[in-house]
Amino acid sequence: MDKEENKMTEKVDSENIAPENDSVEIVKIEVSQEELDVKKIKRSQKIGKIAATVGVYIFLIFIAIIVLFPFYWMLNSSLKTIEEYKWTKPSFFPNKLDWANYYEAYKAASLGDLFLHTVYVGLISTVLSLIITVLSAFAFARLDFKGKNAVFAVLLATMMIPGELFTITNYSTIYALGWQNTFSAMIIPFLVSVFYIYLLRQNFLQIPNELYLAAKVDGTSDFKYLLKVMVPLALPTLISITILKMMGAWNTYVWPNLVANDDAHKLITNGLRNAFTAADGTSDYPVQMAAVAIVSAPLFIVFLFLRKYIMKGVSRSGIKG
Amino acid sequence: MVDGKTQWKGWLYLAPALIMLAIFTFWPIINTLYMAFSNGYTSLGSAGGETYSLGIENFIKVIQYKGFVTCLKNTCLLCIITVPVSTILALLISVALNSIKVLNRALQTIYFLPYVTNSIAIGMVFAMMFNIVGLTPNGDSAITWGIINNIIQLFGGKGINWINAGSNYWANMMVMIIYIVWNALPFKILILLGGLQSINKQYYDAAKIDGASRSRILWRITVPLLSPMIAYVVITGFIGGFKEYTSIVGVFGNTMGPAGNPRVLNTIVGFIYDSLSNNNYGRASAAALILFVIIFIVTMLNMYVSKKKVHY
């Protein structure tokens, strides 16, 4: 009420020119009023800012809970007995930790074999793929020969074609070569990635040409220069490629399912999906979730240690392969 | 400097890559085109020395085939819904994440976790969360409703048959949309956050002096300056979306649908693999070419739109 009156008097006074001694008084009031207003605005701004920050945190933490919930529920369910899993009111922490699920899952899907197959395919294809990628990227970045740019353009153009278009013919090629149910069938068709060649070429191009010329003057061969200078300098890119390639082996499903789905060559994802296919709602979910947890764990551990490389690699590589 | 020796050397370094590409990339392009335009091409017939007339019969058969229409519809629906939803959500999350300091790195790591998972494995987790054990035929009671229905019931809702036998198509689609969006967020957040961090802070200071509101800053400064990254995640989102397949296998298994109703959720890629396992190579090739053309057109359309709207 007081403030209202003050304002009123201010208005009246400023409209009608008041006697001198009065106006001094009014100026004083105005100043303090202004200070008050500034304080008020500052305070409300501060409150607004705090409220906004709290809102942002609530939103972000809510999303984080949604993101994490499936992982939590997977672990929670994987440690329950089947009886507890079927409780009408679910428990948010297992009453009795049933570690036997993990052993059973490991045995039921023969996860040990699947791990070995996947690591084998992943390692061999990563090593061979790195060799091919380094050699081609070097040729495109440093060597001069006729038709280089044309070949490079053709390679880049193939990146636009969806992989499914190649799959059909590659499938019959694998059969024509008699490679069905072999590890070669899963490794060799995917050794060359135009994208990785492109990525590494860009990296090689950043290395100053003077280094190359100096090495030439010293009589170093191209191959030695590539191995001793360029490869170490491009190591971060090579690590990113390695991780993405290993992740690819871990996640691939469609192609192995087509060409090598016998027990001696099955990869982890195929084994996982096919070992627990009872889709009638009666499958033993705790054991299934234990298997899923075992399969997910290695990628998580790798991610925790190599977070920087993975995120960098992914941000440059586009969609999940 | 260029002499005969380096000429020869360049090709030598490229040889391993080119040989592999010739067998597994260039030959498939030619052969797939041939198979797609050979009327009624099958692998068995071809092995038996049959010859084929050239034409577009395979394409007509694919389009007339009822299963393909279902696949096309499912794929388009999933794309049209999940790409905008995940892009907007990722945009909000990255703008929020960019405005805070405490917990920033921890949250960034958490949001990235869905990326480093196996889409089949986590699909099985989602299936479990939506699964109902022992549902009575009238759908009123069950032994275990599953955690998602438990949450719905907690807020006074009614349990829904999401993925079990007799479930509704839209309930199935809803599960897939939730899963695909959950799975698509990490990559989009990563890209958009990277873009946000490279925006010059001066723009925001200027806006603050002018007294612009938060939403105005978001739509008039952040979004336009971020538009190249937004265009990138939308284009890659559509390309990935049209190739949707494994996430559905993860949730529903190889039957691509709930028990008793297989293939209702099949996609174009699923159709290609089905034709392939039926030895119907002609049809598979035709479908693959159709997929390529769809992706090509959608990408061009996206590029055209973004050329008009993207602010560089």
Side-chain angles (χ1 to χ4, degrees):
Chain A
M1 283 297 272
D2 266 7
K3 277 178 199 164
E4 287 274 290
E5 266 170 44
N6 259 348
K7 261 185 198 165
M8 287 295 277
T9 48
E10 265 174 53
K11 248 190 188 168
V12 171
D13 287 333
S14 58
E15 268 164 22
N16 315 317
I17 298 155
E20 241 178 48
N21 52 344
D22 251 354
S23 84
V24 173
E25 190 59 37
I26 287 162
V27 167
K28 240 185 186 171
I29 291 170
E30 262 181 15
V31 167
S32 63
Q33 187 64 33
E34 217 166 72
E35 267 175 359
L36 238 154
D37 279 353
V38 167
K39 259 188 191 163
K40 227 168 85 184
I41 290 171
K42 264 192 178 163
R43 219 178 69 194
S44 70
Q45 261 183 349
K46 212 174 175 187
I47 291 171
K49 211 180 168 191
I50 291 171
T53 313
V54 170
V56 162
Y57 271 103
I58 290 173
F59 170 68
L60 287 175
I61 288 170
F62 177 69
I63 298 282
I65 290 171
I66 292 179
V67 167
L68 287 178
F69 190 80
F71 301 117
Y72 158 62
W73 206 248
M74 164 185 82
L75 290 175
N76 182 28
S77 306
S78 74
L79 288 167
K80 286 178 180 177
T81 58
I82 182 78
E83 286 76 27
E84 188 177 349
Y85 177 77
K86 286 184 180 166
W87 284 1
T88 314
K89 272 219 168 78
S91 48
F92 282 80
F93 191 80
N95 245 0
K96 187 181 146 265
L97 294 179
D98 188 9
W99 291 101
N101 288 334
Y102 280 80
Y103 178 67
E104 213 172 301
Y106 187 83
K107 230 177 38 185
S110 42
L111 287 176
D113 290 346
L114 298 179
F115 265 108
L116 282 180
H117 300 160
T118 311
V119 169
Y120 179 78
V121 168
L123 278 179
I124 304 265
S125 51
T126 304
V127 170
L128 292 178
S129 180
L130 279 179
I131 294 172
I132 294 176
T133 307
V134 167
L135 290 177
S136 338
F138 179 69
F140 281 127
R142 278 290 167 265
L143 300 176
D144 275 320
F145 53 94
K146 249 183 226 150
K148 180 171 91 167
N149 293 332
V151 173
F152 193 60
V154 169
L155 292 199
L156 287 186
T158 62
M159 277 171 66
M160 282 186 37
I161 300 168
E164 285 71 22
L165 210 144
F166 308 131
T167 307
I168 306 160
T169 302
N170 285 345
Y171 179 65
S172 52
T173 306
I174 292 298
Y175 271 74
L177 292 168
W179 283 359
Q180 64 269 42
N181 293 330
T182 59
F183 286 122
S184 314
M186 290 184 274
I187 295 171
I188 294 176
F190 305 102
L191 282 182
V192 184
S193 156
V194 173
F195 179 74
Y196 294 152
I197 295 176
Y198 170 78
L199 205 65
L200 198 62
R201 169 189 176 263
Q202 299 305 95
N203 203 318
F204 279 171
L205 281 178
Q206 288 166 359
I207 298 167
N209 210 12
E210 284 75 17
L211 278 178
Y212 179 57
L213 298 177
K216 280 263 131 171
V217 171
D218 289 348
T220 316
S221 74
D222 276 351
F223 189 72
K224 207 170 165 195
Y225 172 74
L226 171 63
L227 220 59
K228 298 269 159 156
V229 179
M230 291 190 111
V231 167
L233 282 173
L235 205 59
T237 305
L238 293 175
I239 294 175
S240 289
I241 292 175
T242 305
I243 295 167
L244 291 176
K245 196 87 188 152
M246 288 301 279
M247 274 172 72
W250 207 259
N251 289 329
T252 179
Y253 173 77
V254 174
W255 178 255
N257 207 26
L258 280 174
V259 297
N261 213 5
D262 64 335
D263 286 336
H265 301 91
K266 210 178 257 177
L267 299 192
I268 197 102
T269 315
N270 306 81
L272 182 68
R273 181 70 259 187
N274 301 339
F276 307 97
T277 32
D280 53 357
T282 57
S283 47
D284 189 347
Y285 274 108
V287 173
Q288 191 178 322
M289 287 306 113
V292 170
I294 296 172
V295 170
S296 307
L299 279 183
F300 267 73
I301 293 166
V302 169
F303 174 63
L304 287 182
F305 284 106
L306 298 169
R307 183 175 164 279
K308 198 181 85 192
Y309 289 112
I310 293 181
M311 289 173 91
K312 207 173 176 185
V314 168
S315 68
R316 283 186 302 189
S317 80
I319 36 183
K320 209 166 184 167
Chain B
M1 257 195 69
V2 179
D3 48 38
K5 201 182 158 211
T6 41
Q7 286 284 331
W8 168 83
K9 221 174 196 169
W11 291 104
L12 186 73
Y13 275 88
L14 276 184
L18 289 182
I19 292 168
M20 290 291 170
L21 284 172
I23 301 171
F24 295 107
T25 301
F26 297 128
W27 161 240
I29 295 173
I30 300 162
N31 192 40
T32 304
L33 278 170
Y34 167 72
M35 291 192 294
F37 288 100
S38 299
N39 295 335
Y41 186 100
T42 60
S43 58
L44 291 175
S46 150
E50 216 172 299
T51 50
Y52 302 95
S53 58
L54 295 180
I56 54 165
E57 212 176 86
N58 286 326
F59 291 90
I60 294 169
K61 272 200 179 136
V62 164
I63 291 165
Q64 283 173 343
Y65 187 66
K66 205 177 140 267
F68 184 75
V69 181
T70 314
C71 297
L72 194 62
K73 185 186 77 181
N74 290 336
T75 313
C76 290
L77 267 176
L78 285 176
C79 260
I80 290 166
I81 298 169
T82 59
V83 173
V85 169
S86 59
T87 306
I88 290 171
L89 209 54
L91 181 65
L92 292 177
I93 292 170
S94 21
V95 168
L97 199 56
N98 199 39
S99 73
I100 62 163
K101 288 205 177 69
V102 184
L103 284 181
N104 186 313
R105 259 178 77 99
L107 285 170
Q108 223 176 312
T109 308
I110 289 172
Y111 294 151
F112 196 71
L113 281 180
Y115 193 92
V116 283
T117 55
N118 186 311
S119 53
I120 298 272
I122 302 298
M124 289 160 76
V125 176
F126 271 73
M128 182 219 23
M129 295 192 336
F130 285 96
N131 181 55
I132 303 173
V133 180
L135 186 71
T136 52
N138 61 13
D140 283 338
S141 63
I143 300 170
T144 310
W145 280 100
I147 184 63
I148 299 295
N149 277 330
N150 288 144
I151 293 170
I152 292 172
Q153 284 159 345
L154 191 72
F155 289 101
K158 221 170 150 283
I160 296 168
N161 182 358
W162 294 103
I163 58 167
N164 294 88
S167 54
N168 173 289
Y169 172 75
W170 286 104
N172 298 340
M173 276 306 248
M174 195 64 207
V175 174
M176 283 325 302
I177 288 165
I178 292 171
Y179 180 40
I180 292 170
V181 168
W182 183 88
N183 222 335
L185 281 179
F187 176 66
K188 295 195 166 76
I189 293 174
L190 184 72
I191 299 294
L192 295 179
L193 202 61
L196 279 174
Q197 280 157 358
S198 64
I199 293 180
N200 195 329
K201 292 278 175 295
Q202 282 176 352
Y203 292 109
Y204 292 107
D205 293 339
K208 234 184 235 167
I209 289 167
D210 290 348
S213 68
R214 274 172 171 269
S215 63
R216 216 178 149 75
I217 291 177
L218 175 65
W219 293 112
R220 291 300 163 100
I221 296 181
T222 308
V223 170
L225 286 175
L226 206 58
S227 50
M229 278 76 186
I230 295 175
Y232 178 62
V233 296
V234 167
I235 291 172
T236 51
F238 269 109
I239 292 175
F242 275 106
K243 299 204 276 185
E244 206 61 71
Y245 176 65
T246 43
S247 55
I248 299 166
V249 174
V251 176
F252 287 96
N254 278 321
T255 55
M256 301 293 276
N261 206 355
R263 306 255 163 268
V264 286
L265 293 172
N266 207 358
T267 60
I268 301 180
V269 172
F271 180 88
I272 296 172
Y273 291 126
D274 286 346
S275 310
L276 197 58
S277 30
N278 294 334
N279 284 320
N280 213 330
Y281 286 21
R283 206 153 75 188
S285 305
L289 279 179
I290 292 174
L291 175 68
F292 170 59
V293 170
I294 292 174
I295 290 178
F296 188 77
I297 291 173
V298 171
T299 307
M300 287 297 137
L301 228 101
N302 269 321
M303 300 248 247
Y304 176 74
V305 171
S306 56
K307 219 177 218 165
K308 289 200 148 173
K309 299 263 187 216
V310 166
H311 165 106
Y312 285 102

